[in-house]
Amino acid sequence: AQSVAQPEDQVNVAEGNPLTVKCTYSVSGNPYLFWYVQYPNRGLQFLLKYITGDNLVKGSYGFEAEFNKSQTSFHLKKPSALVSDSALYFCAVRDHGDSNYQLIWGAGTKLIIKP
Amino acid sequence: SAVISQKPSRDICQRGTSLTIQCQVDSQVTMMFWYRQQPGQSLTLIATANQGSEATYESGFVIDKFPISRPNLTFSTLTVSNMSPEDSSIYLCSVEMGQLPGIQYFGAGTRLSVL
């Protein structure tokens, strides 16, 4: 069965420091991987996705994520955090062979950037 | 990309009544999804609504409780029927667009409180 784990409910980072939000996944085949962000009282917004190829994926707002097949991970990173990055972040996965087009969502990680 | 308008943005309803949530997309899309989200928590897929076919419901969700209409490629409704306080949640619609795997674009959500 497909699954996504975001092991941290909350991550606290000082402004200007690098940030990492962790995600690990489990699929039977090859994964499509996604990161979405949800700002308070707003809908989810797409950040980036991994399909195939280069393991480092760059996305919106200066975020990037690294696909690691051996560790089945897709951690979200940013070199220098901004207070405005404070939000709820979701990792999601879909198996290449899944005809349902469903995304399997992680539990979410609340990112708090302190000035 | 897609712009999704979801109405109402919030509502307070009495037990036993029904609420219909509307989702309007600014372009034609095949796949639409309806999710439920408790504040600060992950997304739970209610159903997938493709135009021209019956909606496909996930385990734990039934058509009698959550009837869905999909009359055309830009519009869908989700009705929450015979509401109870347990139905209090945020309801989100989304569409998938773009080259496979597509990106999901979300409405701002409907925050429902049932008294």
Side-chain angles (χ1 to χ4, degrees):
Chain A
Q2 301 175 59
S3 66
V4 176
Q6 292 182 244
E8 302 153 317
D9 292 336
Q10 183 170 309
V11 172
N12 298 296
V13 178
E15 186 176 27
N17 283 359
L19 70 87
T20 298
V21 183
K22 296 179 180 178
C23 172
T24 58
Y25 66 91
S26 175
V27 296
S28 56
N30 292 316
Y32 296 131
L33 292 155
F34 302 79
W35 277 101
Y36 285 80
V37 60
Q38 187 175 35
Y39 297 102
N41 300 314
R42 293 170 62 179
L44 280 82
Q45 298 178 29
F46 168 78
L47 276 180
L48 51 81
K49 66 179 178 181
Y50 171 81
I51 303 173
T52 187
D54 194 347
N55 290 342
L56 186 64
V57 179
K58 295 187 181 297
S60 306
Y61 311 121
F63 283 93
E64 58 188 27
E66 186 169 12
F67 172 65
N68 187 316
K69 187 173 183 177
S70 63
Q71 298 185 5
T72 61
S73 67
F74 190 57
H75 301 331
L76 182 70
K77 300 180 180 183
K78 187 172 182 180
S80 179
L82 300 173
V83 173
S84 58
D85 293 327
S86 299
L88 187 58
Y89 289 80
F90 291 97
C91 181
V93 68
R94 175 191 296 165
D95 191 318
H96 277 219
D98 183 3
S99 60
N100 285 339
Y101 298 96
Q102 286 184 30
L103 285 178
I104 306 301
W105 295 85
T109 298
K110 186 175 183 179
L111 178 63
I112 297 176
I113 309 300
K114 298 181 178 180
Chain B
S1 64
V3 176
I4 300 173
S5 300
Q6 193 173 331
K7 296 180 181 179
S9 59
R10 60 176 61 226
D11 208 340
I12 301 173
C13 301
Q14 296 297 319
R15 180 195 302 260
T17 62
S18 297
L19 176 70
T20 295
I21 302 168
Q22 299 179 7
C23 184
Q24 178 76 53
V25 189
D26 68 344
S27 54
Q28 295 184 337
V29 294
T30 301
M31 305 194 70
M32 295 184 75
F33 304 90
W34 286 98
Y35 290 92
R36 187 166 70 182
Q37 182 188 27
Q38 295 297 332
Q41 298 187 22
S42 189
L43 283 73
T44 301
L45 182 64
I46 297 172
T48 302
N50 294 337
Q51 196 271 336
S53 63
E54 294 291 324
T56 302
Y57 289 84
E58 296 304 304
S59 176
F61 298 96
V62 295
I63 187 170
D64 290 345
K65 175 67 175 178
F66 298 99
I68 289 171
S69 76
R70 185 77 202 274
N72 56 53
L73 290 173
T74 64
F75 188 77
S76 179
T77 66
L78 169 76
T79 299
V80 185
S81 303
N82 188 25
M83 287 185 285
S84 66
E86 291 71 35
D87 295 319
S88 298
S89 190
I90 299 169
Y91 292 84
L92 297 165
C93 71
S94 77
V95 301
E96 179 165 315
M97 296 183 69
Q99 187 176 5
L100 189 70
I103 296 169
Q104 287 197 20
Y105 296 91
F106 287 82
T110 296
R111 185 178 291 262
L112 172 62
S113 297
V114 184
L115 304 180

